[in-house]
Amino acid sequence: MAVAAAARAGFRRLFSVSAFAAPPPPAARPAAEPCNNLFVSGLNKRTTSNGLKEAFSKFGQVIEARVITDRISGYSRGFGFVKYATVQEAGEAIKGMDGKFLDGWVIFAEYAKQREATQPSQQGAPYEYSS
């Protein structure tokens, strides 16, 4: 009986202690500068650009609302962009829509980050061969 209890304790210890170190906490992403373009995530697959524009139009003049869609299915990829006439309207929209429900899903709105310039890909072989 004592041997079984000791075996259970050792077995429990074997699985309760990880051999791997805990991953480091994620680095905080720098907040985007306030601008009139919003990034909206958490969208339902059935959300359309028109539906996104209607939902955000109560906070100001929406210049453009675009849901990014899958090329094959045509459904939303879960995120989109809303562009307002002014930065103040965009700020009000973030306050009003961040964490709210749209088409049954909780959405998140934040200022869109500017794209980083990408290096143009080199034409030719993807690998460099030495002779």
Side-chain angles (χ1 to χ4, degrees):
M1 186 76 165
V3 173
R8 270 196 307 259
F11 193 70
R12 192 176 314 131
R13 193 175 320 118
L14 176 70
F15 288 104
S16 66
V17 177
S18 175
F20 301 103
R29 295 188 306 175
E33 294 179 19
C35 62
N36 64 339
N37 197 17
L38 301 182
F39 173 72
V40 183
S41 60
L43 295 176
N44 188 328
K45 293 211 177 286
R46 303 281 182 177
T47 301
T48 62
S49 294
N50 287 337
L52 189 64
K53 186 172 186 172
E54 285 179 27
F56 278 82
S57 64
K58 57 186 162 189
F59 299 102
Q61 180 186 359
V62 175
I63 304 298
E64 180 186 16
R66 193 172 86 225
V67 172
I68 307 304
T69 56
D70 181 71
R71 291 180 187 172
I72 297 170
S73 69
Y75 290 129
S76 165
R77 290 185 58 199
F79 66 95
F81 296 92
V82 179
K83 187 171 191 173
Y84 279 94
T86 66
V87 175
Q88 291 78 17
E89 292 172 343
E92 290 298 318
I94 290 175
K95 289 177 191 171
M97 293 298 286
D98 189 40
K100 300 294 191 265
F101 283 91
L102 179 63
D103 294 334
W105 289 40
V106 176
I107 63 168
F108 302 96
E110 60 186 80
Y111 293 113
K113 295 177 178 68
Q114 296 294 325
R115 278 189 179 177
E116 294 178 8
T118 58
Q119 296 282 341
S121 62
Q122 292 182 1
Q123 301 295 336
Y127 301 104
E128 195 173 300
Y129 299 102
S130 60
S131 37

